[in-house]
Amino acid sequence: MTPKAGGGRPWGPIRTENDAARRLAVLLRRHVDACGKTLAVLGAEINVSKAQTGANLAGKVPSREFVIALIRATVPPELRERRQQEALGLREQALHPAPHTPPGPSAAAGRGYAVELAAAQARQIETYDRLTRALEQQAEVERAKNNSDKLVMVLLNMIRQLDRRVADLVQERDHLRTRPGSEALEDAERKLARAEEQEKGAHAELQRAEEKQRQAEELQARVQDQLRQLTDELDRLRAGDTSSPLDALPALIEEPAEQPRSADPVGDDIDAVLARASAVNDEDNDTLTRVTSQLDDTTAEIVQDNPPDNVPSPESMSARHDLGISVGESGDRAQAVLLFTELVPDLIRVLGADHPHTLSARHNLGINAGESGDHAQAVLLFTELVPDLIRVLGADHPQTVNARHNLGISVGESGDRAQAVLLLTELVPDLIRVLGADHLQTLNARHNLGISVGESGDRAQAVLLLTE
């Protein structure tokens, strides 16, 4: 094995039939080492595939054209003629070796080759492990950057909403100042102080998210450079060895967040999303700090701390579910649809399609799709969901009748008022039986039935239903 001068990426064993071929391979490898180019870059320059380049550098006697092209790509102009003559001379000797070889040294060379091959295989496995871990780091950094990108959008939208809220509360407070000491004035001032504090917190979290974007971009460049170096190292170790595997490398999944809830009507959602933003920033900070530490630890050849199968925890998915709800209720329905669309496949993979959390996430995805204006998509989602809820939870479960109600509303808003009337007409007796005639959802469904009947053209029946 011929390691790079001064230490560096090692080469795999040289397989040759004679000493001249071995010396030629050693010479060509030294030129590659000296120029510092990877096999991929070199292959592109000399118009030869990386696999063929590796084979030629592993002991196969190359063509004259390959030798000349390699010398031209790796040797300074003032030295090319001499190095080319030397390499071509070794090539001629390799093609026309001496007629006899002493038996003793040949047997010793065979044993030496076996030892060299075993060492090369061990290095290859070690390098593959390091490359796998680098790919995992790349996925972690990419997720952290995606989190920050999403978070920046959510926080910018929140800041715009808070700007409007503060302006409205200032106007309300100024109007109520004509009644000093009143309870309404105190309430307006309290809400204004809270909104101003929330706006300050949103700006702070936005600054953190933008900093995470910058850190993630820097780490992406470092990880990409590490991947290039490890790929080149593995190419060198595998030079001429087409049987070694390097495919099916792992990928990673989604990210966690966390949320508390408070008790103010308008400020609740804002506090919840701010708490989520802070938690996501904290989580991404931990990820970027860990990856930075791993990249800075040059002594760590193989990182052992690997989560099994890269499966998200139920806690992280629950937090993501809460984040989707809070983002939707804060007004950004399109972002909520994106969050739930990404979450549902993870829930199905980890918990199963029939798990209550999975069904609940699908329900919230349908709600947010409808609220975002995509009524056709909402109809499709609820049409697929209702039979699954009936099968898993039962026809009388509150979540099942709620999904049926949302299906009826979505069908009406998509334009099919007659079908909405049919669905809601079937639903109301079930709601009365399951929840009671005076339950808010029962009354709401009767309200929506009256509206749909009127929109379908039967104004007289709508008057009757809404009068009742």
Side-chain angles (χ1 to χ4, degrees), residues 155-173:
L155 289 167
L156 286 173
N157 181 60
M158 175 184 290
I159 289 170
R160 287 194 297 269
Q161 293 178 11
L162 282 167
D163 284 340
R164 292 194 297 268
R165 177 166 167 76
V166 167
D168 292 341
L169 288 171
V170 167
Q171 185 177 0
E172 180 182 352
R173 179 202 62 188

Side-chain angles (χ1 to χ4, degrees), residues 289-351:
T289 300
R290 185 180 71 254
V291 173
T292 300
S293 176
Q294 291 168 353
L295 291 174
D296 289 341
D297 184 6
T298 56
T299 62
E301 291 287 320
I302 304 174
V303 179
Q304 300 293 339
D305 186 14
N306 230 1
D309 299 328
N310 300 314
V311 176
S313 69
E315 293 79 9
S316 71
M317 291 186 294
S318 176
R320 289 165 57 200
H321 192 172
D322 292 341
L323 175 60
I325 293 173
S326 297
V327 168
E329 291 178 349
S330 74
D332 194 347
R333 296 293 182 176
Q335 179 65 17
V337 169
L338 177 62
L339 293 172
F340 280 114
T341 300
E342 294 174 344
L343 173 63
V344 167
D346 284 347
L347 287 168
I348 293 174
R349 179 167 61 91
V350 176
L351 301 180

Side-chain angles (χ1 to χ4, degrees), residues 2-19:
T2 57
K4 189 173 180 180
R9 295 187 296 274
W11 289 97
I14 295 175
R15 301 169 173 83
T16 62
E17 296 182 359
N18 58 67
D19 183 61

Side-chain angles (χ1 to χ4, degrees), residues 166-235:
V166 167
D168 292 341
L169 288 171
V170 167
Q171 185 177 0
E172 180 182 352
R173 179 202 62 188
D174 292 343
H175 177 72
L176 291 171
R177 277 180 171 170
T178 58
R179 301 178 347 207
S182 68
E183 183 177 342
L185 176 59
E186 292 177 357
D187 184 62
E189 289 176 338
R190 184 170 55 253
K191 289 180 179 178
L192 176 59
R194 185 182 184 192
E196 290 173 339
E197 187 66 26
Q198 289 172 331
E199 187 173 24
K200 181 180 177 182
H203 278 289
E205 292 302 333
L206 176 61
Q207 186 175 359
R208 291 182 65 198
E210 290 173 340
E211 175 64 15
K212 296 297 169 293
Q213 282 181 314
R214 185 191 63 78
Q215 293 178 9
E217 287 172 356
E218 292 176 355
L219 279 179
Q220 279 181 324
R222 292 183 61 186
V223 172
Q224 191 61 39
D225 184 63
Q226 184 185 64
L227 283 172
R228 182 190 61 78
Q229 293 178 15
L230 288 171
T231 302
D232 182 45
E233 179 175 336
L234 198 61
D235 287 340

Side-chain angles (χ1 to χ4, degrees), residues 28-93:
L28 295 179
R29 286 182 174 190
R30 284 177 180 167
H31 292 323
V32 173
D33 285 337
C35 75
K37 296 176 181 177
T38 67
L39 296 188
V41 170
L42 191 60
E45 286 189 9
I46 64 178
N47 199 27
V48 177
S49 71
K50 186 172 67 175
Q52 185 60 47
T53 301
N56 288 343
L57 295 174
K60 178 182 177 181
V61 179
S63 67
R64 178 183 176 85
E65 291 75 15
F66 177 88
V67 172
I68 295 172
L70 185 76
I71 296 297
R72 185 184 307 116
T74 59
V75 177
E78 61 273 15
L79 300 176
R80 282 177 189 165
E81 183 177 356
R82 179 179 174 183
R83 298 289 183 255
Q84 180 175 306
Q85 290 177 354
E86 182 182 7
L88 291 176
L90 287 172
R91 177 179 178 274
E92 284 300 314
Q93 294 177 35

